[in-house]
Every structure is written in structure tokens, then in C-alpha cells.
């Protein structure tokens, strides 16, 4: 009997007897060999599939990373373009971009329960309710206003300072003028309302006296322009004039019944709602909110087409009005329809306040 060279399988010749043991051994050897080959083939196939899967995952990760880089680049471009539009005095309408200033007669959003202070909308959460007398008791006259006839350079301002205990607004502000040597000219008195914490002039108005009398007259002028104020913040009323047609001194009559102020309290929560028409659907987008808080506990959340979002990022900068503001960005991370609904939710703890300056959107 002969045997094969590589696997030692029996090779019978005609003169050999076929022995059962030899035959069975050959079959067992064949079975073991084929089984081993199949196992090795399966292992190799698994290794190939694993390598292919890892390669696909690497390709997908690289593709995802490249898409993230592309999206971030598009957002940077869109963000810069948005702020260029926001800075323009009369920006043209553009698909996928909106910027709305909040406050004033043309306020475009629904903001029930918020106070409109012309340059923003305001949500104060007062700790208590105060009376007009409570506010008036906080006033202190720092200097008397003096107008010198024929010498306007010698005029001096009236300065009144107060730190209110809570948020509110002054609806009537009296000033008492003692005019002498009047030659019949009107009085033009400019009033500025200055936030001493920020240095910003938050409101101003010019009062024109209706007295065109010769000689002497005493008059209480009532300024009816509303002045909004936050609790615990120091303010100054500064009244100036460039008049020179009469001699005059002007004071704040602290005991005057003409003074009127009211306490304001919007409670702990507020909602600003708006539906944007962006012209056409977009793959992604972001909402930008500019605001300022009094106190560190106020929070913002955005419901965008039913999806609740927290700010993706916030930062502080000086806006085009010269105000130091915070800006919160809310990323959609998904498709934005041509008509998209926003609800901005604000939560203010007791004694804290928030001012919203603008609401806008950019899409990519």
C-alpha cells in the first residue's frame, strides 16, 4: 500500500486487500481536514467582514466630521451675515434671515404681560408691591437747576437721584420753576433718565413751558413721559437747558401731589411668541436672542416647532446701540420649514428681571 505525499492518505494497488481500519482512518482524516478548513474559512470571513465594517465606520466618521466642519463653517458665515443685516438701518428682506428689534410701536412679537420700554421689552419679578409714596421717599435732590439770563454758559443742571426698592415706572414727574425777568420766551428743559449702574441714558424728553409771560412766574411743570426703573438700581434725573431769556431756579417738589409712580410685577415666567416666514425651507438654522438680566438666576428656553431647546452657546458683547448685552444661540439641528413657530420661555426668580432687545433667525 502506498500513501499520498501531503496528507498520507492510503493508495491501494490491485494486489492489496482493502482493510477496514485503513479505510475508516482515511475517512476520519478527510472529515477532520475538511472541518478544520471550514473553521479557518469562517474565521477568515469574519475577519474580512470586521475589516470591511471598520473601514465603513471610519469612512462614515470622516464623512460626519467633514459635514460637521462644513455646517460650522456655513453657520459662521450665516452668523456674520446676520449681524451685518442687524446693523443696517433699513436692511432689505432676505430669504432665511430675520432680525426684529423688540420694544417700540412696531414690536412684531406677541409678548403679553411684558412692559414695553421702547428700547426693549422688560419682565420684572418683584419681591413686593410698592406705592407711589414709597418711591417718592427715595428721591434726593443733588443740585438745583439755575438759568442765567443772557448767559447760558452759566446755567447749571437739576440733578435728582433715587434708588427704588422695586421695579416700576414713573408716570408723572413734577419740577418747580421760579422764573424772573422773563422777556416772553418759552422755556425748553431737557430731561435725561440715566442708569448709574450702566451709565446708559434709558429715556429722555424735552419739556416746553407754555408760559410766555413777561416778569415773574412760579410754575410746576409735570413731565408725563413714562420712566421705567429696576429695583435696587440707582438712577439720576438730569434736567438741563440752554435758555438765556430769563432768570430761573428749578427744584424737585418732593411733597408735590403731582408725582405718580407705580409698582410693576410680571411674575416668575414670561413667553414671547412669533411665527417666522423665511421664504423657503432650510436644512438647519439658529435663533439669536439679545438680552440683559438683573440677577444671575434668569433662564431662557426655546420651543421651536414643538421641540424644546436650551441655548447652544451664549456670549457678551456691545451691540449696535452701544449696550452691553448677552446673546443666546439656539441651534435647530434639523430641517426648518418655510413657516416656523417660536416660543421663547423666560423664568425669573423673585427680585430678578430680564430685558429682551432683539429676536432673530438665520438658516443654512
Amino acid at each position: 500500500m502506498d500513501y499520498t505525499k501531503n496528507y498520507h492518505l492510503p493508495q491501494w494497488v490491485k494486489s492489496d486487500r482493502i482493510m477496514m481500519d485503513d479505510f475508516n482512518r482515511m475517512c476520519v482524516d478527510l472529515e477532520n481536514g475538511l472541518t478544520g478548513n471550514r473553521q479557518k474559512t469562517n474565521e477568515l470571513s469574519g475577519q474580512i467582514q470586521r475589516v470591511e465594517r471598520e473601514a465603513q465606520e471610519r469612512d462614515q466618521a470622516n464623512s460626519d466630521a467633514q459635514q460637521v466642519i462644513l455646517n460650522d463653517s456655513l453657520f459662521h458665515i450665516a452668523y456674520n451675515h446676520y449681524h451685518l443685516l442687524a446693523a443696517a438701518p433699513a436692511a432689505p428682506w432676505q430669504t432665511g434671515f430675520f432680525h426684529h428689534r423688540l420694544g417700540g410701536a412696531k414690536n412684531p412679537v406677541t409678548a403679553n404681560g411684558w412692559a414695553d420700554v421702547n428700547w426693549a421689552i422688560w419682565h420684572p419679578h418683584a419681591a413686593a408691591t410698592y406705592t407711589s409714596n414709597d418711591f417718592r421717599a427715595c428721591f434726593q435732590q443733588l443740585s438745583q437747576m439755575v438759568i442765567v439770563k443772557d448767559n447760558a454758559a452759566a446755567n447749571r443742571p437739576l440733578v435728582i437721584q433715587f434708588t427704588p426698592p422695586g421695579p416700576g415706572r414713573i408716570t408723572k414727574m413734577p419740577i418747580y420753576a421760579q422764573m424772573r425777568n422773563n422777556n416772553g420766551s418759552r422755556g425748553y428743559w431737557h430731561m435725561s433718565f440715566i442708569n448709574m449702574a450702566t451709565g446708559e441714558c434709558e429715556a429722555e424728553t424735552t419739556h416746553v413751558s407754555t408760559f410766555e409771560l413777561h416778569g415773574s412766574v412760579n410754575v410746576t411743570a409735570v413731565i408725563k413721559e413714562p420712566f421705567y426703573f429696576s429695583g435696587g438700581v440707582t438712577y439720576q434725573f438730569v434736567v438741563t437747558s440752554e435758555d438765556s431769556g430769563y432768570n430761573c431756579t428749578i427744584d424737585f417738589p418732593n411733597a408735590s401731589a403731582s408725582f405718580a409712580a407705580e409698582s410693576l410685577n410680571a411674575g416668575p415666567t414670561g413667553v414671547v411668541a412669533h411665527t417666522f416666514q423665511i421664504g423657503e425651507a432650510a436644512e438647519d438654522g439658529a435663533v439669536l436672542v439679545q438680552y440683559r438680566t438683573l440677577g444671575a438666576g434668569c433662564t431662557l428656553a426655546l420651543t421651536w416647532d414643538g421641540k424644546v431647546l436650551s441655548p447652544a452657546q451664549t456670549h457678551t458683547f456691545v451691540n449696535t446701540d452701544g449696550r452691553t448685552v448677552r446673546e443666546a444661540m439656539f441651534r435647530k439641528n434639523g430641517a426648518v420649514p418655510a413657516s416656523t413657530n417660536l416660543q421663547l420661555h423666560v423664568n425669573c426668580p423673585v427680585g430678578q428681571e430680564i430685558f429682551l432687545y432683539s429676536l432673530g433667525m438665520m438658516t443654512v
Side-chain angles (χ1 to χ4, degrees), residues 102-104 107 109-125 169 228 264-274 289-294 298-301 343-348 352-359:
L102 303 179
N107 192 357
V109 303
T110 301
N112 296 329
W114 293 67
D116 189 330
V117 296
N118 293 322
W119 43 269
I121 57 175
W122 175 42
H123 187 93
H125 186 190
R169 65 181 172 187
Y228 293 88
L264 294 178
N265 184 9
T269 60
V271 178
V272 175
H274 189 61
V289 181
Q290 290 185 12
Y291 65 99
R292 175 171 63 87
T293 62
L294 183 64
C298 295
T299 58
L300 300 175
Q343 288 187 333
L344 182 67
H345 300 267
V346 172
N347 186 279
C348 283
Q352 301 191 18
E353 308 169 18
I354 187 168
F355 296 85
L356 296 184
Y357 295 101
S358 67
L359 176 68

Short mmCIF file of all heavy atoms in Angstrom, two decimals, residues 102-104 107 109-125 169 228 264-274 289-294 298-301 343-348 352-359:
data_model
loop_
_atom_site.label_atom_id
_atom_site.label_comp_id
_atom_site.label_asym_id
_atom_site.label_seq_id
_atom_site.Cartn_x
_atom_site.Cartn_y
_atom_site.Cartn_z
N LEU A 102 -36.94 94.52 19.59
CA LEU A 102 -38.09 94.41 20.47
C LEU A 102 -38.27 95.72 21.24
O LEU A 102 -37.31 96.35 21.65
CB LEU A 102 -37.92 93.24 21.44
CG LEU A 102 -37.69 91.88 20.78
CD1 LEU A 102 -37.51 90.80 21.83
CD2 LEU A 102 -38.84 91.53 19.86
N GLY A 103 -39.50 96.10 21.43
CA GLY A 103 -39.80 97.38 22.07
C GLY A 103 -40.14 98.43 21.03
O GLY A 103 -39.62 98.41 19.93
N GLY A 104 -41.03 99.34 21.40
CA GLY A 104 -41.42 100.39 20.47
C GLY A 104 -42.73 100.09 19.79
O GLY A 104 -43.32 99.01 19.95
N ASN A 107 -43.34 96.74 17.53
CA ASN A 107 -42.92 95.47 18.11
C ASN A 107 -43.62 94.32 17.39
O ASN A 107 -44.85 94.23 17.40
CB ASN A 107 -43.28 95.47 19.60
CG ASN A 107 -42.62 94.33 20.35
OD1 ASN A 107 -41.92 93.51 19.77
ND2 ASN A 107 -42.83 94.29 21.65
N VAL A 109 -43.59 90.93 17.83
CA VAL A 109 -43.84 89.65 18.50
C VAL A 109 -45.04 89.76 19.44
O VAL A 109 -45.49 90.85 19.78
CB VAL A 109 -42.60 89.19 19.30
CG1 VAL A 109 -41.38 89.08 18.40
CG2 VAL A 109 -42.32 90.13 20.47
N THR A 110 -45.54 88.60 19.83
CA THR A 110 -46.58 88.54 20.85
C THR A 110 -45.91 88.38 22.20
O THR A 110 -45.22 87.39 22.45
CB THR A 110 -47.53 87.36 20.59
OG1 THR A 110 -48.13 87.53 19.30
CG2 THR A 110 -48.62 87.31 21.64
N ALA A 111 -46.08 89.38 23.06
CA ALA A 111 -45.39 89.38 24.36
C ALA A 111 -46.34 89.89 25.43
O ALA A 111 -46.14 90.95 26.01
CB ALA A 111 -44.12 90.23 24.29
N ASN A 112 -47.39 89.13 25.69
CA ASN A 112 -48.38 89.54 26.69
C ASN A 112 -47.77 89.52 28.09
O ASN A 112 -47.08 88.58 28.47
CB ASN A 112 -49.59 88.61 26.65
CG ASN A 112 -50.33 88.69 25.33
OD1 ASN A 112 -50.36 89.74 24.71
ND2 ASN A 112 -50.93 87.59 24.90
N GLY A 113 -48.03 90.58 28.86
CA GLY A 113 -47.52 90.66 30.22
C GLY A 113 -46.16 91.31 30.35
O GLY A 113 -45.68 91.51 31.46
N TRP A 114 -45.52 91.62 29.23
CA TRP A 114 -44.23 92.29 29.26
C TRP A 114 -44.44 93.81 29.19
O TRP A 114 -45.39 94.28 28.59
CB TRP A 114 -43.36 91.85 28.09
CG TRP A 114 -42.93 90.42 28.13
CD1 TRP A 114 -43.72 89.32 28.00
CD2 TRP A 114 -41.60 89.93 28.30
NE1 TRP A 114 -42.98 88.17 28.08
CE2 TRP A 114 -41.66 88.51 28.26
CE3 TRP A 114 -40.37 90.54 28.49
CZ2 TRP A 114 -40.54 87.72 28.40
CZ3 TRP A 114 -39.25 89.74 28.62
CH2 TRP A 114 -39.33 88.34 28.58
N ALA A 115 -43.52 94.56 29.78
CA ALA A 115 -43.56 96.02 29.69
C ALA A 115 -42.70 96.46 28.51
O ALA A 115 -41.56 96.01 28.35
CB ALA A 115 -43.04 96.65 30.98
N ASP A 116 -43.24 97.33 27.67
CA ASP A 116 -42.52 97.87 26.52
C ASP A 116 -41.85 99.17 26.94
O ASP A 116 -42.52 100.16 27.24
CB ASP A 116 -43.49 98.12 25.37
CG ASP A 116 -42.79 98.46 24.07
OD1 ASP A 116 -41.69 99.05 24.12
OD2 ASP A 116 -43.33 98.16 23.00
N VAL A 117 -40.51 99.16 27.00
CA VAL A 117 -39.77 100.35 27.44
C VAL A 117 -39.13 101.07 26.26
O VAL A 117 -38.14 101.80 26.42
CB VAL A 117 -38.71 99.98 28.51
CG1 VAL A 117 -39.38 99.44 29.75
CG2 VAL A 117 -37.70 98.98 27.97
N ASN A 118 -39.68 100.85 25.07
CA ASN A 118 -39.25 101.48 23.81
C ASN A 118 -37.99 100.87 23.23
O ASN A 118 -37.94 100.57 22.04
CB ASN A 118 -39.08 103.00 23.97
CG ASN A 118 -40.39 103.70 24.21
OD1 ASN A 118 -41.42 103.33 23.64
ND2 ASN A 118 -40.39 104.71 25.07
N TRP A 119 -36.95 100.68 24.02
CA TRP A 119 -35.71 100.11 23.51
C TRP A 119 -35.58 98.62 23.82
O TRP A 119 -34.62 97.97 23.43
CB TRP A 119 -34.50 100.85 24.09
CG TRP A 119 -34.61 101.17 25.55
CD1 TRP A 119 -35.12 102.31 26.10
CD2 TRP A 119 -34.22 100.35 26.65
NE1 TRP A 119 -35.08 102.25 27.48
CE2 TRP A 119 -34.51 101.06 27.84
CE3 TRP A 119 -33.63 99.10 26.75
CZ2 TRP A 119 -34.26 100.55 29.10
CZ3 TRP A 119 -33.37 98.58 28.02
CH2 TRP A 119 -33.69 99.32 29.17
N ALA A 120 -36.59 98.04 24.51
CA ALA A 120 -36.58 96.62 24.86
C ALA A 120 -37.96 96.27 25.40
O ALA A 120 -38.81 97.16 25.62
CB ALA A 120 -35.50 96.30 25.89
N ILE A 121 -38.20 94.98 25.61
CA ILE A 121 -39.35 94.57 26.41
C ILE A 121 -38.80 94.00 27.71
O ILE A 121 -37.73 93.38 27.74
CB ILE A 121 -40.25 93.56 25.68
CG1 ILE A 121 -39.49 92.31 25.23
CG2 ILE A 121 -40.93 94.23 24.49
CD1 ILE A 121 -40.38 91.25 24.60
N TRP A 122 -39.56 94.19 28.79
CA TRP A 122 -39.00 94.03 30.13
C TRP A 122 -39.91 93.12 30.95
O TRP A 122 -41.14 93.27 30.92
CB TRP A 122 -38.88 95.41 30.76
CG TRP A 122 -38.44 95.49 32.18
CD1 TRP A 122 -37.45 94.79 32.78
CD2 TRP A 122 -38.97 96.39 33.17
NE1 TRP A 122 -37.32 95.18 34.09
CE2 TRP A 122 -38.24 96.16 34.35
CE3 TRP A 122 -39.95 97.36 33.16
CZ2 TRP A 122 -38.49 96.87 35.53
CZ3 TRP A 122 -40.20 98.06 34.33
CH2 TRP A 122 -39.48 97.82 35.49
N HIS A 123 -39.29 92.18 31.68
CA HIS A 123 -40.04 91.25 32.53
C HIS A 123 -39.45 91.29 33.94
O HIS A 123 -38.46 90.62 34.23
CB HIS A 123 -39.94 89.83 31.96
CG HIS A 123 -40.82 88.84 32.68
ND1 HIS A 123 -42.09 88.54 32.28
CD2 HIS A 123 -40.60 88.10 33.80
CE1 HIS A 123 -42.62 87.65 33.11
NE2 HIS A 123 -41.72 87.37 34.04
N PRO A 124 -40.05 92.10 34.85
CA PRO A 124 -39.56 92.13 36.23
C PRO A 124 -40.37 91.20 37.14
O PRO A 124 -41.59 91.07 36.98
CB PRO A 124 -39.79 93.60 36.64
CG PRO A 124 -41.02 93.99 35.86
CD PRO A 124 -41.02 93.18 34.59
N HIS A 125 -39.71 90.54 38.06
CA HIS A 125 -40.38 89.72 39.07
C HIS A 125 -40.09 90.35 40.44
O HIS A 125 -39.05 90.10 41.05
CB HIS A 125 -39.88 88.28 39.02
CG HIS A 125 -40.64 87.36 39.92
ND1 HIS A 125 -40.24 86.07 40.18
CD2 HIS A 125 -41.78 87.54 40.64
CE1 HIS A 125 -41.10 85.50 41.00
NE2 HIS A 125 -42.03 86.37 41.30
N ARG A 169 -42.53 102.20 37.26
CA ARG A 169 -42.40 103.30 36.31
C ARG A 169 -42.98 104.58 36.90
O ARG A 169 -43.95 104.55 37.67
CB ARG A 169 -43.10 102.98 34.99
CG ARG A 169 -44.59 102.83 35.08
CD ARG A 169 -45.18 102.50 33.72
NE ARG A 169 -46.61 102.17 33.83
CZ ARG A 169 -47.34 101.71 32.82
NH1 ARG A 169 -46.77 101.52 31.63
NH2 ARG A 169 -48.61 101.44 32.99
N TYR A 228 -39.16 104.02 33.15
CA TYR A 228 -39.16 102.69 33.75
C TYR A 228 -37.87 102.48 34.54
O TYR A 228 -36.79 102.89 34.11
CB TYR A 228 -39.27 101.62 32.67
CG TYR A 228 -40.61 101.62 31.96
CD1 TYR A 228 -40.82 102.42 30.84
CD2 TYR A 228 -41.65 100.81 32.39
CE1 TYR A 228 -42.05 102.42 30.19
CE2 TYR A 228 -42.87 100.79 31.75
CZ TYR A 228 -43.06 101.61 30.63
OH TYR A 228 -44.27 101.60 30.00
N LEU A 264 -44.40 97.54 39.33
CA LEU A 264 -44.62 96.59 38.25
C LEU A 264 -44.12 95.22 38.65
O LEU A 264 -43.03 95.09 39.22
CB LEU A 264 -43.92 97.04 36.97
CG LEU A 264 -44.43 98.33 36.31
CD1 LEU A 264 -43.59 98.64 35.08
CD2 LEU A 264 -45.90 98.22 35.94
N ASN A 265 -44.91 94.19 38.35
CA ASN A 265 -44.52 92.82 38.66
C ASN A 265 -45.12 91.89 37.62
O ASN A 265 -46.34 91.75 37.53
CB ASN A 265 -45.00 92.43 40.06
CG ASN A 265 -44.53 91.04 40.47
OD1 ASN A 265 -43.71 90.43 39.79
ND2 ASN A 265 -45.04 90.55 41.59
N ALA A 266 -44.28 91.26 36.80
CA ALA A 266 -44.74 90.36 35.74
C ALA A 266 -44.77 88.90 36.19
O ALA A 266 -45.16 88.03 35.41
CB ALA A 266 -43.86 90.51 34.51
N GLY A 267 -44.33 88.62 37.42
CA GLY A 267 -44.34 87.24 37.90
C GLY A 267 -43.09 86.46 37.49
O GLY A 267 -42.16 87.00 36.90
N PRO A 268 -43.08 85.16 37.77
CA PRO A 268 -41.86 84.37 37.55
C PRO A 268 -41.60 83.96 36.11
O PRO A 268 -40.47 83.70 35.74
CB PRO A 268 -42.08 83.13 38.42
CG PRO A 268 -43.58 82.98 38.47
CD PRO A 268 -44.13 84.39 38.47
N THR A 269 -42.65 83.86 35.27
CA THR A 269 -42.45 83.34 33.91
C THR A 269 -43.05 84.28 32.88
O THR A 269 -43.99 85.01 33.14
CB THR A 269 -43.11 81.95 33.75
OG1 THR A 269 -44.52 82.06 34.01
CG2 THR A 269 -42.49 80.95 34.71
N GLY A 270 -42.45 84.24 31.70
CA GLY A 270 -42.94 85.03 30.58
C GLY A 270 -42.70 84.29 29.27
O GLY A 270 -41.78 83.47 29.17
N VAL A 271 -43.53 84.58 28.27
CA VAL A 271 -43.42 83.93 26.97
C VAL A 271 -43.46 84.99 25.88
O VAL A 271 -44.27 85.92 25.92
CB VAL A 271 -44.56 82.91 26.74
CG1 VAL A 271 -44.44 82.28 25.35
CG2 VAL A 271 -44.54 81.83 27.82
N VAL A 272 -42.56 84.85 24.91
CA VAL A 272 -42.57 85.67 23.70
C VAL A 272 -42.77 84.72 22.53
O VAL A 272 -42.01 83.76 22.37
CB VAL A 272 -41.26 86.45 23.54
CG1 VAL A 272 -41.24 87.20 22.22
CG2 VAL A 272 -41.09 87.44 24.70
N ALA A 273 -43.78 84.96 21.72
CA ALA A 273 -44.11 84.05 20.62
C ALA A 273 -44.07 84.78 19.29
O ALA A 273 -44.40 85.97 19.20
CB ALA A 273 -45.50 83.45 20.84
N HIS A 274 -43.65 84.05 18.25
CA HIS A 274 -43.62 84.63 16.91
C HIS A 274 -43.54 83.50 15.89
O HIS A 274 -42.91 82.47 16.13
CB HIS A 274 -42.42 85.56 16.74
CG HIS A 274 -42.45 86.35 15.46
ND1 HIS A 274 -43.45 87.24 15.16
CD2 HIS A 274 -41.62 86.36 14.38
CE1 HIS A 274 -43.22 87.78 13.98
NE2 HIS A 274 -42.12 87.25 13.49
N VAL A 289 -31.04 85.53 20.38
CA VAL A 289 -31.76 86.40 21.31
C VAL A 289 -30.74 87.28 22.04
O VAL A 289 -29.81 86.76 22.65
CB VAL A 289 -32.56 85.58 22.34
CG1 VAL A 289 -33.33 86.51 23.28
CG2 VAL A 289 -33.52 84.62 21.64
N GLN A 290 -30.93 88.59 21.97
CA GLN A 290 -30.10 89.52 22.72
C GLN A 290 -30.88 89.98 23.95
O GLN A 290 -32.05 90.37 23.84
CB GLN A 290 -29.69 90.71 21.87
CG GLN A 290 -28.70 90.36 20.77
CD GLN A 290 -28.21 91.58 20.01
OE1 GLN A 290 -28.40 92.72 20.42
NE2 GLN A 290 -27.57 91.34 18.88
N TYR A 291 -30.22 89.95 25.11
CA TYR A 291 -30.93 90.24 26.36
C TYR A 291 -29.96 90.75 27.42
O TYR A 291 -28.73 90.68 27.26
CB TYR A 291 -31.65 88.99 26.86
CG TYR A 291 -30.72 87.85 27.26
CD1 TYR A 291 -30.38 87.63 28.59
CD2 TYR A 291 -30.17 87.00 26.30
CE1 TYR A 291 -29.53 86.60 28.95
CE2 TYR A 291 -29.32 85.98 26.65
CZ TYR A 291 -29.00 85.77 27.98
OH TYR A 291 -28.15 84.76 28.34
N ARG A 292 -30.52 91.24 28.51
CA ARG A 292 -29.73 91.61 29.69
C ARG A 292 -30.55 91.23 30.93
O ARG A 292 -31.77 91.41 30.94
CB ARG A 292 -29.42 93.11 29.72
CG ARG A 292 -28.71 93.58 31.00
CD ARG A 292 -28.23 95.02 30.86
NE ARG A 292 -29.30 95.97 30.70
CZ ARG A 292 -29.96 96.56 31.70
NH1 ARG A 292 -29.69 96.22 32.95
NH2 ARG A 292 -30.92 97.43 31.46
N THR A 293 -29.89 90.70 31.94
CA THR A 293 -30.60 90.31 33.16
C THR A 293 -30.13 91.15 34.34
O THR A 293 -28.99 91.62 34.38
CB THR A 293 -30.37 88.82 33.49
OG1 THR A 293 -28.97 88.59 33.71
CG2 THR A 293 -30.87 87.93 32.37
N LEU A 294 -31.02 91.32 35.28
CA LEU A 294 -30.67 91.89 36.58
C LEU A 294 -30.79 90.75 37.58
O LEU A 294 -31.88 90.35 37.96
CB LEU A 294 -31.62 93.04 36.94
CG LEU A 294 -31.32 93.78 38.25
CD1 LEU A 294 -29.96 94.48 38.18
CD2 LEU A 294 -32.40 94.79 38.57
N CYS A 298 -31.98 84.21 36.06
CA CYS A 298 -32.95 84.14 34.96
C CYS A 298 -32.48 83.15 33.90
O CYS A 298 -31.29 83.10 33.57
CB CYS A 298 -33.14 85.52 34.33
SG CYS A 298 -33.88 86.75 35.42
N THR A 299 -33.41 82.36 33.37
CA THR A 299 -33.06 81.36 32.37
C THR A 299 -33.94 81.50 31.13
O THR A 299 -35.07 82.00 31.21
CB THR A 299 -33.21 79.93 32.93
OG1 THR A 299 -34.56 79.74 33.37
CG2 THR A 299 -32.26 79.71 34.10
N LEU A 300 -33.42 81.04 29.99
CA LEU A 300 -34.13 81.07 28.72
C LEU A 300 -34.25 79.66 28.16
O LEU A 300 -33.32 78.87 28.28
CB LEU A 300 -33.39 81.94 27.70
CG LEU A 300 -33.15 83.41 28.02
CD1 LEU A 300 -32.28 84.03 26.93
CD2 LEU A 300 -34.46 84.14 28.14
N ALA A 301 -35.38 79.35 27.55
CA ALA A 301 -35.57 78.10 26.80
C ALA A 301 -36.43 78.43 25.59
O ALA A 301 -37.28 79.32 25.65
CB ALA A 301 -36.22 77.04 27.67
N GLN A 343 -41.46 79.90 20.45
CA GLN A 343 -41.95 80.38 21.75
C GLN A 343 -40.75 80.44 22.69
O GLN A 343 -40.17 79.42 23.03
CB GLN A 343 -43.02 79.45 22.31
CG GLN A 343 -44.37 79.54 21.60
CD GLN A 343 -45.43 78.73 22.30
OE1 GLN A 343 -45.14 77.75 22.99
NE2 GLN A 343 -46.68 79.13 22.15
N LEU A 344 -40.39 81.66 23.07
CA LEU A 344 -39.26 81.85 23.98
C LEU A 344 -39.81 81.94 25.40
O LEU A 344 -40.63 82.80 25.71
CB LEU A 344 -38.51 83.14 23.63
CG LEU A 344 -37.28 83.45 24.48
CD1 LEU A 344 -36.18 82.42 24.24
CD2 LEU A 344 -36.76 84.85 24.20
N HIS A 345 -39.35 81.03 26.25
CA HIS A 345 -39.82 80.96 27.64
C HIS A 345 -38.75 81.53 28.56
O HIS A 345 -37.58 81.15 28.48
CB HIS A 345 -40.13 79.51 28.03
CG HIS A 345 -41.18 78.86 27.18
ND1 HIS A 345 -42.51 78.85 27.51
CD2 HIS A 345 -41.08 78.23 25.98
CE1 HIS A 345 -43.19 78.22 26.57
NE2 HIS A 345 -42.34 77.83 25.63
N VAL A 346 -39.17 82.42 29.46
CA VAL A 346 -38.27 83.07 30.39
C VAL A 346 -38.70 82.74 31.82
O VAL A 346 -39.90 82.76 32.12
CB VAL A 346 -38.28 84.60 30.19
CG1 VAL A 346 -37.51 85.30 31.30
CG2 VAL A 346 -37.71 84.96 28.84
N ASN A 347 -37.73 82.42 32.66
CA ASN A 347 -38.02 82.18 34.07
C ASN A 347 -37.15 83.11 34.92
O ASN A 347 -35.92 83.11 34.77
CB ASN A 347 -37.75 80.71 34.43
CG ASN A 347 -38.16 80.40 35.86
OD1 ASN A 347 -37.43 80.68 36.81
ND2 ASN A 347 -39.33 79.82 36.02
N CYS A 348 -37.80 83.91 35.77
CA CYS A 348 -37.08 84.87 36.62
C CYS A 348 -37.39 84.59 38.08
O CYS A 348 -38.56 84.65 38.49
CB CYS A 348 -37.50 86.30 36.29
SG CYS A 348 -36.77 86.97 34.80
N GLN A 352 -35.61 89.42 40.48
CA GLN A 352 -34.75 89.49 39.29
C GLN A 352 -35.57 89.93 38.08
O GLN A 352 -36.80 89.86 38.06
CB GLN A 352 -34.05 88.16 39.04
CG GLN A 352 -33.19 87.74 40.24
CD GLN A 352 -32.28 86.58 39.94
OE1 GLN A 352 -32.00 86.26 38.79
NE2 GLN A 352 -31.77 85.95 40.98
N GLU A 353 -34.86 90.38 37.04
CA GLU A 353 -35.52 90.96 35.87
C GLU A 353 -34.74 90.59 34.62
O GLU A 353 -33.56 90.26 34.68
CB GLU A 353 -35.56 92.50 35.99
CG GLU A 353 -36.14 93.00 37.30
CD GLU A 353 -35.91 94.49 37.50
OE1 GLU A 353 -35.62 95.20 36.51
OE2 GLU A 353 -36.02 94.96 38.65
N ILE A 354 -35.44 90.67 33.48
CA ILE A 354 -34.78 90.44 32.20
C ILE A 354 -35.31 91.42 31.17
O ILE A 354 -36.50 91.73 31.14
CB ILE A 354 -34.97 88.98 31.73
CG1 ILE A 354 -34.12 88.70 30.48
CG2 ILE A 354 -36.42 88.65 31.48
CD1 ILE A 354 -34.01 87.23 30.12
N PHE A 355 -34.39 91.95 30.35
CA PHE A 355 -34.72 92.81 29.23
C PHE A 355 -34.39 92.07 27.94
O PHE A 355 -33.28 91.54 27.80
CB PHE A 355 -33.90 94.11 29.26
CG PHE A 355 -34.18 94.99 30.46
CD1 PHE A 355 -33.52 94.78 31.66
CD2 PHE A 355 -35.09 96.02 30.38
CE1 PHE A 355 -33.76 95.57 32.77
CE2 PHE A 355 -35.34 96.84 31.46
CZ PHE A 355 -34.68 96.61 32.67
N LEU A 356 -35.33 91.99 27.00
CA LEU A 356 -35.09 91.40 25.68
C LEU A 356 -34.95 92.52 24.68
O LEU A 356 -35.86 93.35 24.51
CB LEU A 356 -36.22 90.47 25.28
CG LEU A 356 -36.46 89.23 26.14
CD1 LEU A 356 -37.57 88.37 25.53
CD2 LEU A 356 -35.18 88.42 26.31
N TYR A 357 -33.81 92.55 23.95
CA TYR A 357 -33.54 93.61 23.00
C TYR A 357 -33.93 93.21 21.57
O TYR A 357 -34.42 94.05 20.81
CB TYR A 357 -32.05 93.97 23.01
CG TYR A 357 -31.58 94.56 24.32
CD1 TYR A 357 -30.90 93.77 25.25
CD2 TYR A 357 -31.83 95.88 24.63
CE1 TYR A 357 -30.46 94.31 26.44
CE2 TYR A 357 -31.39 96.43 25.83
CZ TYR A 357 -30.72 95.63 26.74
OH TYR A 357 -30.31 96.15 27.94
N SER A 358 -33.66 91.96 21.19
CA SER A 358 -33.94 91.57 19.81
C SER A 358 -34.14 90.06 19.73
O SER A 358 -33.68 89.30 20.59
CB SER A 358 -32.82 92.00 18.87
OG SER A 358 -31.62 91.29 19.15
N LEU A 359 -34.83 89.66 18.66
CA LEU A 359 -35.07 88.25 18.35
C LEU A 359 -34.85 88.07 16.86
O LEU A 359 -35.38 88.85 16.05
CB LEU A 359 -36.51 87.87 18.73
CG LEU A 359 -36.97 86.46 18.39
CD1 LEU A 359 -36.24 85.43 19.24
CD2 LEU A 359 -38.48 86.34 18.61
#
